[in-house]
Amino acid sequence: MRSRWPPRVVFGMLVVYLAIAFSLGLYNTAIRLRAAVGTLGLPTPALRARIFGREYTEALEQIRRAIPEDQPYLLTYQDDVKTILPVRFDLLPRCAIVRRPPEWRAVERDCWTPQVRWLVVAVGDGRAPLLVGHPPKVPAGCPPAPWMRPQ
Amino acid sequence: MNSGALANLGGVALLALPGLGLAELFPALSRLSFPRRIGYAYLLGVVAVGGTLFAASHLFGAPLHRPAIVAAAGVPAAWGLAARVVWRRRRSGGSPPRLVLTPARPTHRWRLLAALAVTGIGLICLGPLIAAVSTPLTDWDGRMTWTPLAAYLHHAGTVDAPVLQDVRWWVMHPRYPPLLPLAQVAVQETFGAGVDDQDFRALYVGILVALLLIIQDGARRAAGSVAAILATLCACLPPFLLYGEGGATSAYSDLALAGFYGGALVLLLLAQPGLSTWLAAGCLLAGAVLTKNEGTPLAVVALLLAAARLLRRLRRRDAGARAATPLGWLAAAAGPVLAAAALLASWRTAIPNRDDEDYFAGLHLGDLLRGAFTRLPVIVPEILRWTFRWSHWLGFWVIVFAVLIVGRRALRRPFVRRLLLAALAPAAIGWAAYAVSANLGDIVRETWPRFLLQGLAPSSIVFACALGQMLRRLSRRTEPRSVQPYGT
């Protein structure tokens, strides 16, 4: 007859796993519940400011007010390309054209870039992105971009 | 976000109700008790609403607004309700016969233990639900790929959004399948979500619950009630599944893919074969195809394993006369998959690819095979590291492997072997990607836990089978108590 020790040992491991993982699971539920109770009734902007930082969310709100939802913007970054991700996400559904830092100055590179009024610069995690505006123009020989055409 | 809690729950109902309606049309599902049916129903609801919006918008130009969403959700819900009423009348007031797989009457002590386990699973799943409805989205891919796609489609009112179709716009992975983003759009549009309202978050927690219910149902069919509830309890505990990048609080599509793939496998490999069962499985596989790029190869694997099951059945019976019926079942499962693949391919033709790794573009089989073997010394340690990472899995895979070793006799059964192959399929896709990717360390770190997640349902069912075997060894019983799945 086969030994019953291996299943006993594994069953013991299973019990230990369930005890530890279940306790941690309950603890995780409890801390989420406590955090949720702590923010109950908090308006969405205040909650976002608490999580992402007031400096960042206030700057985002200003940019949202400046750029209409049907207008595009150029998006670039100061040091780390990954910092453009939350900024792009928070500016949805506005469409972005991403330019690496040296590129965005080369406005004559294509027909669209000079026609974009806004440039947003992501400067780092939790830090306020910068907004730069300049008058858009249709380059010679280029057709007006879709957002420049009269509706 | 707090005010959106009700809208979040409404979003879950928006997908569950049409799914319950559809489930009424599939006898294999309508005969299940409600707790066993709702997991499949919820996923079918995601396919029904998202898939209908996809087809209606792409093929007929229907705008992604409330009328289309109400139609996509309302028609299957009403249809199913009508089917239920008709069914009840025909049965003169009786409900459809329920499928009973465990002949032994559960003891009082077992009922108490099962109730405790279900309560425990509920408490564990409550954490992600609370987190999802009370905090904004902070994960990586959810904010990089999936939710932006939903926002663009919602804003444009069409799946053929101009931002996807012009290469100058910055869109990460613009050709990724849009089923989950469309489900997001349905919820956001129905409840009139504001710019920072993320009413779609509970949708993903619902998918976690559906996945666990499917694991429980599949494990119960394969290994009996005790092993099933223990396996489900073990599977619901890894933090990666609950709070990780790919888990229930994120907006990744891996959890949904795991649900579609797992649900289809249970219906194809463990349920009594039949036209409606395999059609339901085909709908779930269509969901897999429309959810992630890996969905298509996984759907093919599921269909091949189902065909292997059919071949075995045919060999055991007088095959010649009956071959036409199983071929019809297979066609019922493959039809929705082909339709989904055609729809996806048609949608992609207008979208130039950019900002996408596209691992397999221009790849030769020789490169793949060479990479798969020459990179073994790098791939294996990385894979082991991320499989047994404590912060992700809390030792879940240690327990799975230990139980598989002790209960390895269970692996002799053909249906368990097929499930094991199904569990390994996502890992094989990952392996192929690692064989050709340039940045191996990063890609393994980011994707391997998600490949494990994609195969979680078949892995957990195989685990349940081995666990049942181990428990029998412990209790000195030699004969399996569990019910053999149909025709395996």
Side-chain angles (χ1 to χ4, degrees):
Chain A
M1 190 177 169
R2 286 190 298 166
S3 166
R4 289 173 66 192
W5 277 108
R8 278 180 183 164
V9 170
V10 173
F11 188 74
M13 287 167 63
L14 179 72
V15 171
V16 171
Y17 164 73
L18 284 176
I20 294 173
F22 190 71
S23 306
L24 285 172
L26 284 185
Y27 173 73
N28 275 325
T29 297
I31 57 174
R32 261 78 185 184
L33 185 62
R34 196 177 65 180
V37 168
T39 58
L40 205 64
L42 209 59
T44 302
L47 183 62
R48 282 176 51 80
R50 185 182 281 198
I51 291 170
F52 298 117
R54 188 165 300 282
E55 184 195 4
Y56 173 82
T57 51
E58 282 178 358
L60 239 304
E61 282 308 317
Q62 285 178 9
I63 295 173
R64 282 175 174 175
R65 282 195 290 272
I67 309 177
E69 285 194 352
D70 57 353
Q71 287 288 309
Y73 63 100
L74 299 174
L75 179 59
T76 190
Y77 53 93
Q78 208 165 43
D79 301 312
D80 182 4
V81 66
K82 289 179 179 173
T83 57
I84 63 176
L85 181 92
V87 176
R88 193 281 299 257
F89 179 74
D90 284 326
L91 290 178
L92 288 170
R94 297 161 188 85
C95 298
I97 298 173
V98 168
R99 292 280 177 260
R100 291 177 187 281
E103 278 179 1
W104 68 268
R105 294 175 191 279
V107 290
E108 61 282 350
R109 273 171 62 98
D110 61 58
C111 281
W112 273 18
T113 306
Q115 300 186 55
V116 179
R117 178 185 292 271
W118 304 104
L119 169 73
V120 176
V121 186
V123 293
D125 276 343
R127 294 177 58 194
L130 306 173
L131 178 67
V132 183
H134 68 92
K137 61 176 183 183
V138 180
C142 287
W147 62 91
M148 296 290 279
R149 293 174 199 143
Q151 297 294 313
Chain B
M1 308 288 160
N2 296 320
S3 59
L6 276 179
N8 265 281
L9 297 179
V12 172
L14 178 75
L15 301 170
L17 289 176
L20 282 168
L22 273 181
E24 289 299 326
L25 304 177
F26 299 117
L29 298 180
S30 65
R31 282 184 296 146
L32 295 175
S33 62
F34 183 79
R36 296 176 66 193
R37 188 175 6 133
I38 185 68
Y40 302 97
Y42 184 72
L43 294 178
L44 282 174
V46 174
V47 180
V49 174
T52 305
L53 290 178
F54 191 6
S57 177
H58 179 64
L59 301 176
F60 307 110
L64 300 173
H65 295 152
R66 278 186 190 154
I69 296 163
V70 168
V75 169
W79 196 0
L81 186 67
R84 187 157 191 86
V85 169
V86 170
W87 175 256
R88 282 192 173 225
R89 279 192 185 159
R90 282 191 187 163
R91 303 279 301 177
S92 56
S95 57
R98 297 291 171 208
L99 196 62
V100 179
L101 284 174
T102 310
R105 200 175 174 78
T107 62
H108 179 69
R109 196 174 66 174
W110 159 242
R111 278 186 180 171
L112 183 68
L113 279 174
L116 279 176
V118 169
T119 307
I121 292 169
L123 286 172
I124 297 295
C125 291
L126 192 62
L129 181 64
I130 292 169
V133 300
S134 64
T135 54
L137 192 69
T138 53
D139 67 76
W140 187 259
D141 276 17
R143 292 189 297 166
M144 178 178 74
T145 303
W146 303 104
T147 305
L149 182 56
Y152 289 136
L153 302 187
H154 191 194
H155 184 66
T158 171
V159 289
D160 301 306
V163 66
L164 301 177
Q165 297 179 346
D166 195 307
V167 76
R168 287 172 284 194
W169 298 120
W170 186 62
V171 182
M172 294 294 288
H173 312 300
R175 304 179 81 187
Y176 270 16
L179 185 73
L180 269 291
L182 282 167
Q184 282 194 27
V185 170
V187 176
Q188 296 284 90
E189 173 72 12
T190 302
F191 296 96
V195 66
D196 286 323
D197 295 330
Q198 296 172 345
D199 296 342
F200 58 85
R201 300 288 304 286
L203 183 166
Y204 292 88
V205 184
I207 291 172
L208 167 71
V209 175
L211 174 65
L212 293 173
L213 289 169
I214 283 168
I215 289 173
Q216 152 71 14
D217 183 47
R220 185 174 157 180
R221 291 171 193 260
S225 299
V226 177
I229 199 73
L230 275 175
T232 312
L233 188 57
C234 288
C236 83
L237 294 173
F240 181 76
L241 197 67
L242 306 168
Y243 305 104
E245 299 257 329
T249 53
S250 73
Y252 285 47
S253 291
D254 299 272
L255 199 59
L257 180 58
F260 289 129
Y261 182 53
L265 285 170
V266 171
L267 295 179
L268 289 172
L269 302 183
L270 296 174
Q272 185 177 24
L275 197 68
S276 86
T277 314
W278 285 39
L279 184 60
C283 291
L284 291 174
L285 289 178
V289 169
L290 296 177
T291 294
K292 278 207 87 181
N293 284 344
E294 298 95 303
T296 303
L298 291 183
V300 171
V301 168
L303 290 173
L304 287 175
L305 291 169
R309 183 189 181 195
L310 283 185
L311 274 178
R312 185 178 161 83
R313 277 174 66 94
L314 285 173
R315 272 199 220 116
R316 289 195 324 195
R317 298 179 181 184
D318 51 337
R322 297 192 179 186
T325 308
L327 278 179
W329 300 341
L330 201 57
V337 175
L338 290 174
L343 181 64
L344 189 61
S346 167
W347 175 70
R348 282 172 166 169
T349 52
I351 301 173
N353 204 15
R354 68 264 196 200
D355 296 308
D356 182 71
E357 292 85 356
D358 203 5
Y359 301 111
F360 301 110
L363 176 74
H364 299 291
L365 187 63
D367 298 337
L368 182 67
L369 292 175
R370 195 166 42 249
F373 291 105
T374 56
R375 289 184 169 197
L376 271 178
V378 188
I379 294 174
V380 171
E382 282 292 312
I383 280 177
L384 292 176
R385 187 173 149 216
W386 291 100
T387 301
F388 298 110
R389 191 173 177 84
W390 176 259
S391 62
H392 278 44
W393 300 104
L394 295 180
F396 172 71
W397 295 107
V398 176
I399 296 298
V400 169
F401 287 121
V403 169
L404 284 182
I405 290 168
V406 172
R408 59 189 174 280
R409 279 185 66 187
L411 304 183
R412 293 177 187 170
R413 300 160 87 180
F415 78 91
V416 182
R417 287 183 190 164
R418 284 193 283 270
L419 282 167
L420 189 60
L421 283 175
L424 293 174
I429 295 171
W431 196 289
Y434 305 153
V436 295
S437 87
N439 199 355
L440 194 60
D442 285 347
I443 197 79
V444 175
R445 185 188 71 229
E446 286 165 14
T447 59
W448 182 252
R450 289 191 273 144
F451 284 122
L452 292 176
L453 171 58
Q454 290 171 16
L456 188 71
S459 306
S460 298
I461 298 170
V462 171
F463 168 60
C465 293
L467 187 59
Q469 178 71 32
M470 189 186 89
L471 294 177
R472 282 191 292 277
R473 270 183 76 183
L474 276 174
S475 61
R476 286 183 185 275
R477 275 194 279 113
T478 51
E479 290 304 313
R481 193 175 63 176
S482 64
V483 175
Q484 180 83 359
Y486 291 102
T488 51

